[in-house]
Amino acid sequence: MNIIAQPSAVPIQLDKQTANKRMTAGLGGGVALEWYDWNVYGVMAAFLSPHFFPSDDPTTSLLAGLAVYGAGFCARPLGAALLGPVADRISHKRVMLISVTAMAVCSLLISLLPTYKDLGVAAAVALLIMRLVQGLATGAEAGVANAIAIELAPPGKEGHYLGLIGGTFIQLGNLGSSLVAFLVSASVAPEAMREWAWRIPFAVGGVLGLLIIYLRTTVPETLINRAMHRQDESSRIQQTTGGVWKTLWSVRLSLLAVILVIGSVQIANYAWNTGLPNMANTVFKENSTYVYGIMTLMVLIWMSTAPLVGAFADKVRPSRAFTLLRLLLVPCFFLTLLYSEKGIVTFFFVTVFGGAIVGFNMALYNFIATTLMPRAVRTTGVALGYALGVSLFGGTSPYLLVWLQREHIAWMFPVYGSLIALLSVLVYQIAKKRGRLYIGE
């Protein structure tokens, strides 16, 4: 009997390894697509805005387009509140499928959407609805992906694994949006880019969504259940919707810390990924091909360094790595003041060298946010904190950067970003002293 039973253990192990690879591909691919679809609107805003918000002043059109960009973030907290408890109580897989499907379908619809010239104000309203739907659907995406990833990570290598899922795959999405924009801009005449070619990156996101939907449908729900572990009796008692919110209220200091940890880095993220390139394309009339090429280089640096930053956090402890990198973000904000007039060399310096510090922080924030939440409400807590942090701080960042530049008070942006970064460190350290770190310390 032993001779017969022995070989059967091998395929079971192989199936488990294959399933974990599929899980990583499904998680990471969905994260990448979310960030591609979300970032591609920001990357294309300079070309999209005149078609939906026509104005004699290009900056006014851009500000209107960025306002819609920010409005999409406002829907994220509602999506997190509605879908987070569903993920914690019922099914992570269903929430992930809803999220990725909505992102792909809305991107495809935006690529086909008639403009103001065809529909008038209705075109702008339709664009706003698409962004709000994307915001609702992705509200819980970060919480689900991070909660599962932290459980799948090998012990002692949580930072490295989260750097891969929440860092490299995120930057893969950003890289994709910048790279596709670069290739389209380099392949067509400037007039074509302004008239119709801006639609191509949105269409690409819709098509890529079909592949990611397939990857996520092949992930078995049982594997997700194993990844999240069985909870003890007290945790199971709490797993009603009311119980989830009651538990979350009991760790409200952690929730505040998550909001600030995420929000402060998102100010920098969207300033570098959306504000600066749109200011370069619209306000300073830089060569868009050069701008997108520089953005692609920046994101390549972010993508390649993310797992290394996570491994660094595993080695020195997450709290020390977070504090060091977040404090470095303070002087980084002031580099934006250097780009006050047309100059592609200055844009390169601010984007690549300043952006490297932003990228190091981007590699770590998902891991740090996840460590602040207990397992019973980890998805809801991270999702809600993520959605609030991005909505309050990240979504408004590009608008503030461009508007303050136009009003000749650009110095206010780095002061604002620095104060929020310092506040995030302060609240995080208070949470740590009160025993609100659940992983990695």
Side-chain angles (χ1 to χ4, degrees):
M1 293 296 293
N2 289 338
I3 296 175
I4 297 175
Q6 185 65 28
S8 66
V10 176
I12 292 175
Q13 183 65 28
L14 290 175
D15 288 344
K16 184 177 180 181
Q17 291 175 354
T18 301
N20 275 281
K21 289 180 180 179
R22 286 184 178 180
M23 171 66 81
T24 299
L27 281 175
V31 169
L33 179 68
E34 177 194 356
W35 279 75
Y36 175 95
D37 285 331
W38 204 260
N39 195 54
V40 79
Y41 180 99
V43 170
M44 289 288 106
F47 298 100
L48 173 151
S49 297
H51 292 281
F52 294 90
F53 311 99
S55 172
D56 294 333
D57 180 10
T59 303
T60 300
S61 292
L62 175 60
L63 287 171
L66 292 177
V68 170
Y69 184 67
F73 288 97
C74 296
R76 283 195 166 195
L78 180 58
L82 292 174
L83 296 175
V86 174
D88 275 325
R89 295 178 53 240
I90 301 173
S91 171
H92 290 81
K93 180 177 180 178
R94 291 179 190 176
V95 172
M96 289 194 298
L97 284 172
I98 290 171
S99 175
V100 73
T101 302
M103 288 300 294
V105 170
C106 287
S107 284
L108 192 59
L109 289 175
I110 291 174
S111 74
L112 303 171
L113 201 61
T115 65
Y116 184 93
K117 182 179 178 181
D118 303 309
L119 294 181
V121 176
V125 173
L127 179 66
L128 175 62
I129 291 173
M130 293 298 101
R131 293 298 291 176
L132 291 175
V133 170
Q134 287 183 321
L136 281 170
T138 58
E141 170 72 22
V144 172
N146 291 332
I148 296 176
I150 202 71
E151 299 290 346
L152 288 174
K157 295 185 177 180
E158 292 89 352
H160 180 269
Y161 194 78
L162 263 293
L164 178 65
I165 298 294
T168 297
F169 277 104
I170 282 178
Q171 302 317 325
L172 181 61
N174 284 335
L175 173 65
S177 62
S178 297
L179 184 58
V180 171
F182 168 75
L183 292 174
V184 173
S185 178
S187 301
V188 302
E191 295 77 13
M193 189 69 184
R194 287 192 292 267
E195 288 299 319
W196 60 268
W198 59 267
R199 296 179 181 273
I200 296 175
F202 289 99
V204 170
V207 173
L208 287 176
L210 298 177
L211 172 62
I212 304 304
I213 291 169
Y214 168 75
L215 287 174
R216 286 198 167 177
T217 56
T218 61
V219 175
E221 187 77 62
T222 53
L223 177 60
I224 296 176
N225 290 336
R226 287 202 303 272
M228 295 305 295
H229 299 305
R230 290 186 176 274
Q231 297 165 332
D232 59 28
E233 187 64 30
S234 63
S235 295
R236 284 198 296 271
I237 291 173
Q238 294 171 349
Q239 290 309 301
T240 64
T241 299
V244 169
W245 291 111
K246 182 178 180 180
T247 303
L248 192 59
W249 176 252
S250 71
V251 294
R252 54 191 178 276
L253 176 62
S254 292
L255 179 60
L256 177 61
V258 171
I259 293 171
L260 290 170
V261 164
I262 291 174
S264 58
V265 74
Q266 294 300 339
I267 294 173
N269 173 45
Y270 286 103
W272 261 259
N273 257 315
T274 303
L276 285 172
N278 277 292
M279 193 161 64
N281 284 327
T282 301
V283 180
F284 298 134
K285 308 294 184 183
E286 304 281 9
N287 184 303
S288 64
T289 302
Y290 291 159
V291 170
Y292 292 137
I294 292 169
M295 294 299 298
T296 301
L297 174 61
M298 182 192 77
V299 177
L300 277 171
I301 295 171
W302 289 18
M303 187 172 69
S304 60
T305 57
L308 301 178
V309 174
F312 172 70
D314 289 329
K315 184 176 181 179
V316 303
R317 290 215 305 258
S319 59
R320 292 178 180 175
F322 165 73
T323 302
L324 171 64
L325 294 177
R326 190 53 53 93
L327 291 177
L328 285 176
L329 197 59
V330 172
C332 181
F333 274 115
F334 285 88
L335 290 178
T336 60
L337 296 179
L338 297 177
Y339 191 54
S340 58
E341 60 184 17
K342 183 174 181 177
I344 198 68
V345 175
T346 304
F347 178 78
F348 174 88
F349 176 80
V350 173
T351 300
V352 174
F353 291 95
I357 302 300
V358 180
F360 297 157
N361 278 270
M362 287 294 293
L364 201 58
Y365 80 95
N366 274 307
F367 178 36
I368 297 300
T370 305
T371 66
L372 286 159
M373 279 294 156
R375 181 181 296 152
V377 293
R378 187 165 290 153
T379 299
T380 304
V382 174
L384 185 60
Y386 188 102
L388 288 171
V390 173
S391 302
L392 294 172
F393 301 104
T396 58
S397 176
Y399 187 97
L400 280 175
L401 181 67
V402 175
W403 182 76
L404 291 172
Q405 174 74 25
R406 188 182 72 171
E407 298 299 314
H408 306 292
I409 48 176
W411 61 269
M412 292 185 66
F413 183 82
V415 170
Y416 160 68
S418 298
L419 289 175
I420 302 301
L422 292 172
L423 185 60
S424 71
V425 173
L426 175 63
V427 175
Y428 174 83
Q429 291 296 336
I430 293 173
K432 178 188 174 184
K433 289 181 179 179
R434 296 188 181 181
R436 295 302 184 187
L437 300 188
Y438 300 91
I439 299 170
E441 292 295 317

